Amino acid sequence: MAEGALSIKLRCASWQQLATIYKRDLSRSRMFLRAAAPPPIGTAVHVDLTLPSGTVIALEGTVDSHLQDPQRGSGVELALAPLAASSVWLIESALASEQRRIATPVRGVPIAGAHALTGIVPTLGENAEVTAAEQELIKALMSEAESLKKLNPFLVLGVGYEASDAEVRAAFGELTKRYHPDRFARYESIELRQVAAEIFILIRDAYRRLVDAAARAQVLQSIGRTAPATAPGPATRTVAVPPRRPPSVPPARGSARVMPHVPPLPGVPVPLPSSSSGAIPSAIPASRSAPVAAPGAALPVDKSGATAIAPGASRPPIERSLRRVPGEGPPPGAVASPAALPERRPASGPFSQTQPAPTLVEPGEIDALDDLIDQGRLDEALAGYRLLGKRAPGDRNARAGIELCEGLLALAARDRLEAAQRFETALEIDPSNERAARELAEMRRQATNERKGLLSRLMGKKEP
Amino acid sequence: MSRIIGIDLGTTNSCVAVLDDKGQPRILAAADGERIIPSWVSWSANGQIAVGARARRQGVTNAAATVFGAKRLIGRKVNADDVSWFARLAPFRIVAAPNGDAWVRVHGQPISPQEVAAHLLRAVRRVAEDALGEPVTRAVVTVPAYFDDAQRQATRDAGQIAGIDVIRILNEPTAAALAYGAHRVRDGRRVIAVFDLGGGTFDISIMSVDNGIFEVLATGGDSALGGEDWDRRVLERLADEVFDRHRVDLTAIPMAMSRLREACEAAKKALSVDREARINLPFLAHDPQGVPINYERAVTRELFETQTRDLLDRLEAPCRRALADAGLAAGEVEEVLLVGGMTRWPAVQDTVERIFRKKPSKGANPDEVVALGAAQYAGILAGESDDAALLDVTPHDLGIRVGDSQFAVVLPRNTMLPVRARRLFATTVDNQKFVTIELYQGDSADVIRNRKLGQVVLDDLPPGPAGTTRVELVITVNVESILSVTAREIKTGRAASVTIRPSGGLSQREIIEIITRRRNEHAALGVPPEAIGGTVRVTTRDQVISKPDDPDDRKP
């Protein structure tokens, strides 16, 4: 929804109310709302019309005129966008049976005299608090989904790289309790549930990849960890910070495993252009259920050609999945793993991932600075990263490290906006910067929790 | 906002519960104190409808117009195996609807099982409203774990006809496990078995529960085995005795049989605790000389057990099969939960113990435990309880048709919802112009034996040799089992999508017609429409439903 748009909720307690609203307002694509302080003409208004059955019809409209109605008070009239034909049909059918009862009051008594009707004139701002809180929560959840997309499965679940199955399951259980769409059913907002479902799908995919040994080995490999028994992380922290991935294409995964019947197809986990981030763990369902596709990659053509089963393609397609990044592509045959498919914008620095940066910075130096961060010695770490940055002006690790330290410092100073921006910049520079991704996700989780609490409190007040 | 009730809509009996102010689920009793409502509906010749115990009593005199077991028909085709079995056995007529669905015919009128179930739900709703003193419009309704999307949707449709918004369909074993508190055990993953022997059906479900997440590992059962079989065996034996002694064939006297059946059922209940019970039925019938028979007999648990030994044996095979399907040995099941009144029977409990090698849990009332669990989940949905989050899973494989009639599974059954899956597919012939992606649900490798859910057509594919044009298929299933399917050609980005709401056999138009017809009938009688109920489901702005007048919707 556009910024500054208003949202109201309108509940019909009975079919008669719906009939009245339909006859008086919807059927002429307009709606009157009472408002003490009418918003300017042209303001977008979103109305959730809840039917007596509890289902919701979403109406979009704009403020068309300001009215002074002697009976209904001062308010605004909305011009509504046309309703979906199916909605209209459904409402009309439902009301057909009510006709006998509603015919008299609506036809016989002019609206001006119908006192009963004034009771159901919705007041703009009646539920404004709740609606605003709901919108805030939706926004918070959406940004949380965005940050989760950038995390590897371990970070999504918040478990260490050596986490046992039981730990993974426990983490999944906790997150399920928090994000399962059913947890949002109480808010009665379909949009909220949809966003929650998006987050839950990410959590579920992460879980599925970690409880399956083979998939987990793949994940570990793609983030540069081969053996599960390396580098035990500190017990107090949930996540052991892994060594920085060298700026090169991650090890190619067996494309055959991902898509056995489309053998040499490189870009199997294709990021959809519609999605805002490329790092969707899209290969999970494919790899998980790959064996089932054994019958072949055939699609029935039509009834006549349906007998053919394609043996599968043997030529790589011309177009690459990474066409969003012109001029940059992994070496032939390499399959970009989901974890390595974060947004690669040209703005991310002079060094593309295919052209390794000159190794002016030793990995050991970065590790040492990371240790400083872990110990909370942020100023020292920042100074260290700045030094590195001067020595190797193009180094992604150094540049991202500076942003990370600035972000952490801002967070310590309770400047959350600044911190979030810093972390985002760090991630843009170095999409594999786990610390930044984790901090961002944590901040967003907190934001969600706060908004959820606020909305619950508001609704609790409204609906005892 | 009104409270959400939990409804156990059973094959034989139904039950309703709600979460009380202290967060405890409690059964809502009818005004006469009855906590369970027999799932029977009866139509008298003058159009009066009786529901529950009253309808069951009418089953004696008005058998052809008294419907029970509607749950066996809901969302089913008339030619399904166990539907034909039930059709042979039922005293009322089961007919095929134009689309092949199983309907009943009462007084010459075809009636959908959804409508029959709606009568039950309406009665249940009335019980809840009377007990709570407030209107009830929303409910969680339970169904067996093996119900497919059509059966689940048909159950939702029944709710809609009854004026209840079924906000969630919940698996019965999950509800039972919830009521038993199986999710509160904190020591990691546990495997439980839910042994449900009700009046007419036997279901066994093997589940895992882990931090409040339930997964159905396997289901099995015998839809033709239930407590009524125990009653019938003893009833037949007693009728034989009467014939031997008095030369009177009671089976030809419905009223006598009905009285004797009720007495047998009562004796069975008593014998679950005591070793002996008395049946006393004065003036049961007249002997050939016209002398009244005052039936009196002591029945023992032994009598029941000798008559029903083979029924116990029939419990074992489904359990073994379910265990095998779940890949578990009997000893690996950590807890066995008992559901259904018949599990009170000592010999049944012994059988369970022998199969699973452990004593079953008996902490809850087996007749009520499913409804209690449904109420608990209703509380979670309403935000009144922070207890657990349940994961619903897809009941059957979901996939598309490939080649001639092969079934390529995209989402295997028991996949947690919500879920999104992506798959790439390639064209099969050179310069293929379009692809038709047909979605099916079922567990057969042969797509024809599965149920078609819908299809999406992607046309204007770019020309190219077979196999080079790729179509990405993205399937999203939300917690209400609503499918969104998008097919996208990789090169051009051309996409087509469809949203498939599962169909229970009735179109929206038919549902509304039913509601309208009922309202008009009642309006003629002067009943206010609020007392009738009936809701119209409206899809949200970004959902496309299969159009009600879509010819595909109507064809068998």
Side-chain angles (χ1 to χ4, degrees):
Chain A
M1 203 188 341
E3 206 64 49
L6 291 166
S7 266
I8 74 154
K9 282 177 182 287
L10 180 52
R11 287 215 174 86
C12 296
S14 74
W15 293 103
Q16 269 153 290
Q17 282 195 358
L18 176 65
T20 313
I21 289 172
Y22 183 69
K23 289 236 166 193
R24 196 187 56 199
D25 292 327
L26 301 186
S27 58
R28 50 183 192 104
S29 285
R30 302 184 83 78
M31 180 174 260
F32 178 81
L33 299 172
R34 208 159 38 196
I41 287 169
T43 309
V45 180
H46 171 89
V47 183
D48 276 333
L49 181 65
T50 310
L51 304 190
S53 56
T55 41
V56 179
I57 304 179
L59 309 167
E60 304 286 352
T62 50
V63 175
D64 189 57
S65 58
H66 292 174
L67 288 181
Q68 268 296 343
D69 189 304
Q71 293 297 325
R72 299 186 287 182
S74 69
V76 296
E77 180 139 282
L78 305 181
L80 294 176
L83 267 173
S86 59
S87 300
V88 173
W89 178 80
L90 285 165
I91 297 174
E92 285 186 343
S93 313
L95 296 178
S97 58
E98 289 287 334
Q99 206 131 40
R100 205 173 319 206
R101 295 177 56 82
I102 60 177
T104 325
V106 172
R107 219 181 291 138
V109 187
I111 280 171
H115 293 290
L117 297 185
T118 53
I120 57 165
V121 173
T123 303
L124 200 55
E126 189 176 16
N127 273 325
E129 260 184 324
V130 170
T131 311
E134 198 176 281
Q135 290 301 323
E136 285 288 298
L137 180 54
I138 290 170
K139 266 190 220 155
L141 282 169
M142 278 160 106
S143 56
E144 208 180 329
E146 281 310 307
S147 57
L148 283 180
K149 282 177 188 169
K150 295 185 179 124
L151 300 180
N152 72 42
F154 291 96
L155 293 171
V156 168
L157 293 183
V159 296
Y161 290 119
E162 291 81 32
S164 66
D165 271 11
E167 284 172 302
V168 169
R169 272 200 293 268
F172 176 62
E174 277 310 306
L175 290 172
T176 299
K177 273 189 201 171
R178 217 178 296 171
Y179 291 104
H180 192 279
D182 279 359
R183 284 294 187 190
F184 294 83
R186 67 192 75 168
Y187 304 123
E188 292 172 51
S189 157
I190 290 165
E191 213 178 340
L192 250 184
R193 291 192 79 179
Q194 280 169 350
V195 186
E198 287 302 318
I199 294 187
F200 181 74
I201 286 171
L202 293 169
I203 293 168
R204 175 194 169 277
D205 283 349
Y207 167 69
R208 296 239 58 130
R209 297 172 84 186
L210 296 193
V211 288
D212 178 75
R216 185 167 173 165
Q218 265 190 4
V219 171
L220 283 169
Q221 202 187 10
S222 70
I223 55 177
R225 296 193 148 230
T226 42
T230 53
T236 46
R237 294 180 47 210
T238 48
V239 179
V241 178
R244 297 265 187 236
R245 192 160 45 77
S248 65
V249 173
R253 293 199 301 173
S255 55
R257 191 188 142 69
V258 180
M259 225 44 203
H261 53 287
V262 192
L265 178 63
V268 166
V270 182
L272 291 172
S274 56
S275 63
S276 45
S277 163
I280 306 156
S282 53
I284 305 128
S287 63
R288 201 169 87 77
S289 46
V292 195
L299 278 174
V301 188
D302 52 27
K303 293 282 182 279
S304 59
T307 43
I309 297 172
S314 55
R315 254 176 49 192
I318 308 112
E319 277 255 303
R320 304 304 316 274
S321 61
L322 299 173
R323 64 180 182 280
R324 292 165 68 202
V325 192
E328 185 194 47
V335 172
S337 74
L341 264 181
E343 222 156 306
R344 276 183 247 166
R345 296 179 195 156
S348 66
F351 299 103
S352 75
Q353 293 202 324
T354 47
Q355 299 162 320
T359 48
L360 291 166
V361 178
E362 299 294 326
E365 291 178 292
I366 301 284
D367 287 349
L369 291 172
D370 279 349
D371 285 345
L372 285 179
I373 292 178
D374 289 343
Q375 293 157 21
R377 292 152 73 184
L378 296 175
D379 288 318
E380 291 168 55
L382 180 59
Y385 273 120
R386 286 211 167 113
L387 225 68
L388 278 185
K390 270 188 196 137
R391 218 170 71 208
D395 188 84
R396 289 191 320 164
N397 287 336
R399 289 171 53 220
I402 294 169
E403 295 297 332
L404 174 65
C405 291
E406 296 274 20
L408 288 169
L409 283 167
L411 197 60
R414 304 196 170 223
D415 186 349
R416 283 163 52 161
L417 191 68
E418 168 77 10
Q421 280 168 356
R422 291 286 186 180
F423 294 140
E424 271 172 11
T425 316
L427 273 178
E428 240 170 70
I429 297 168
D430 175 13
S432 66
N433 191 317
E434 287 189 9
R435 184 70 191 247
R438 197 153 43 88
E439 292 293 345
L440 203 54
E442 183 52 41
M443 283 180 70
R444 287 181 171 157
R445 185 159 293 170
Q446 270 178 25
T448 301
N449 281 344
E450 282 162 19
R451 279 163 192 157
K452 213 164 150 183
L454 175 67
L455 182 55
S456 293
R457 280 199 304 279
L458 285 172
M459 289 186 67
K461 255 194 297 186
K462 298 262 175 209
E463 292 167 6
Chain B
M1 185 50 70
S2 66
R3 276 195 267 194
I4 309 174
I5 56 173
I7 301 176
D8 170 11
L9 186 63
T11 308
T12 319
N13 290 305
S14 299
C15 192
V16 56
V18 73
L19 216 56
D20 68 16
D21 298 334
K22 295 187 195 75
Q24 289 299 311
R26 96 184 140 86
I27 296 291
L28 298 174
D32 59 3
E34 279 302 318
R35 294 157 75 89
I36 52 177
I37 301 155
S39 301
W40 291 56
V41 181
S42 181
W43 283 261
S44 67
N46 62 7
Q48 291 284 324
I49 297 171
V51 179
R54 217 151 58 84
R56 192 161 81 162
R57 280 195 295 276
Q58 289 187 17
V60 184
T61 51
N62 188 19
T66 301
V67 177
F68 57 88
K71 193 176 175 182
R72 296 180 188 276
L73 307 176
I74 200 162
R76 308 291 310 273
K77 296 289 172 200
V78 78
N79 54 11
D81 285 349
D82 43 346
V83 172
S84 333
W85 165 81
F86 186 57
R88 280 196 300 278
L89 176 132
F92 50 89
R93 285 200 59 194
I94 292 171
V95 295
N99 64 0
D101 280 2
W103 284 27
V104 296
R105 187 193 288 274
V106 175
H107 296 315
Q109 283 291 320
I111 299 174
S112 65
Q114 287 91 319
E115 266 186 274
V116 180
H119 286 298
L120 292 169
L121 287 171
R122 209 174 282 119
V124 165
R125 177 183 163 191
R126 210 169 301 130
V127 166
E129 289 182 338
D130 289 349
L132 294 170
E134 63 184 38
V136 168
T137 54
R138 300 186 298 165
V140 171
V141 178
T142 60
V143 298
Y146 57 80
F147 258 32
D148 67 13
D149 277 353
Q151 289 164 293
R152 285 161 199 262
Q153 184 57 39
T155 306
R156 283 176 188 273
D157 292 344
Q160 191 186 350
I161 295 169
I164 295 173
D165 194 6
V166 178
I167 56 170
R168 182 51 83 81
I169 294 283
L170 190 64
N171 284 333
E172 284 161 9
T174 310
L178 200 59
Y180 268 101
H183 57 291
R184 294 209 192 91
V185 182
R186 281 274 151 212
D187 56 351
R189 187 168 186 259
R190 284 155 54 81
V191 176
I192 57 175
V194 178
F195 185 98
D196 181 351
L197 186 59
T201 56
F202 165 50
D203 295 315
I204 177 76
S205 310
I206 313 287
M207 312 173 63
S208 81
V209 51
D210 185 3
N211 287 294
I213 298 160
F214 290 82
E215 248 180 291
V216 180
L217 302 177
T219 64
D222 184 340
S223 59
L225 179 63
E228 287 164 357
D229 294 296
W230 267 258
D231 305 342
R232 189 163 49 242
R233 289 296 178 79
V234 174
L235 173 71
E236 282 163 6
R237 163 75 189 269
L238 298 185
D240 284 352
E241 283 178 7
V242 170
F243 185 79
D244 289 348
R245 196 180 318 159
H246 303 284
R247 294 287 141 191
V248 173
D249 183 8
L250 288 182
T251 57
I253 313 168
M255 188 53 99
M257 282 301 269
S258 167
R259 285 177 67 195
L260 197 53
R261 177 180 288 121
E262 275 177 31
C264 285
E265 195 186 333
K268 181 183 72 180
K269 283 179 184 162
L271 290 174
S272 293
V273 187
D274 304 325
R275 299 209 69 86
E276 198 178 291
R278 293 199 75 77
I279 293 179
N280 195 346
L281 297 168
F283 301 102
L284 183 65
H286 294 273
D287 70 9
Q289 285 75 43
V291 181
I293 301 168
N294 290 320
Y295 189 81
E296 205 179 340
R297 191 196 196 282
V299 288
T300 58
R301 204 184 279 175
E302 284 67 37
L303 173 74
F304 265 87
E305 284 172 4
T306 51
Q307 293 297 313
T308 57
R309 194 151 288 147
D310 60 311
L311 297 179
L312 289 178
D313 295 340
R314 282 168 66 189
L315 296 172
E316 184 156 349
C319 293
R320 300 257 176 249
R321 237 188 338 262
L323 283 168
D325 284 354
L328 294 168
E332 288 178 81
V333 172
E334 287 158 88
E335 195 175 4
V336 186
L337 310 179
L338 296 181
V339 181
M342 197 57 219
T343 59
R344 289 202 182 88
W345 189 248
V348 169
Q349 294 181 0
D350 293 345
T351 306
V352 172
E353 189 177 338
R354 190 166 49 77
I355 297 171
F356 291 99
R357 294 189 223 138
K358 61 179 50 68
K359 282 216 177 294
S361 304
K362 293 184 273 187
N365 182 339
D367 286 316
E368 300 175 348
V369 65
V370 171
L372 292 172
Q376 252 173 292
Y377 203 61
I380 292 168
L381 288 173
E384 288 159 18
S385 160
D386 253 358
D387 208 356
L390 295 190
L391 280 195
D392 230 354
V393 294
T394 53
H396 299 283
D397 288 343
L398 187 82
I400 66 166
R401 176 186 182 134
V402 291
D404 197 8
S405 69
Q406 278 163 316
F407 185 43
V409 178
V410 178
L411 288 172
R413 69 193 178 129
N414 282 330
T415 301
M416 287 177 236
L417 295 180
V419 68
R420 175 169 302 144
R422 284 155 209 262
R423 286 294 207 80
L424 271 187
F425 292 94
T427 49
T428 48
V429 295
D430 290 348
N431 296 323
Q432 189 169 332
K433 286 279 190 309
F434 67 95
V435 286
T436 305
I437 296 161
E438 297 173 78
L439 282 113
Y440 284 83
Q441 183 185 44
D443 297 325
S444 169
D446 180 6
V447 83
I448 304 299
R449 302 182 58 148
N450 296 327
R451 181 184 265 265
K452 183 171 173 180
L453 299 175
Q455 63 180 37
V456 54
V457 180
L458 185 60
D459 52 10
D460 282 348
L461 296 179
T468 54
T469 302
R470 273 155 223 291
V471 175
E472 184 196 48
L473 187 67
V474 180
I475 300 184
T476 309
V477 189
N478 78 3
V479 282
E480 279 94 24
S481 294
I482 295 166
L483 263 79
S484 323
V485 184
T486 303
R488 198 174 62 89
E489 200 281 312
I490 301 289
K491 256 181 259 179
T492 58
R494 191 180 166 76
S497 62
V498 65
T499 300
I500 301 166
R501 191 178 267 285
S503 163
L506 293 178
S507 66
Q508 269 299 318
R509 173 161 293 178
E510 286 169 312
I511 291 169
I512 290 163
E513 273 169 13
I514 293 170
I515 297 171
T516 312
R517 175 156 36 85
R518 201 178 147 73
R519 287 198 182 170
N520 290 343
E521 283 165 15
H522 277 75
L525 298 169
V527 181
E530 296 83 50
I532 304 159
T535 57
V536 175
R537 182 177 300 283
V538 174
T539 49
T540 52
R541 58 196 137 149
D542 50 5
Q543 287 171 353
V544 186
I545 51 165
S546 55
K547 287 193 202 77
D549 46 359
D550 184 352
D552 274 348
D553 207 357
R554 312 290 300 249
K555 275 185 205 143

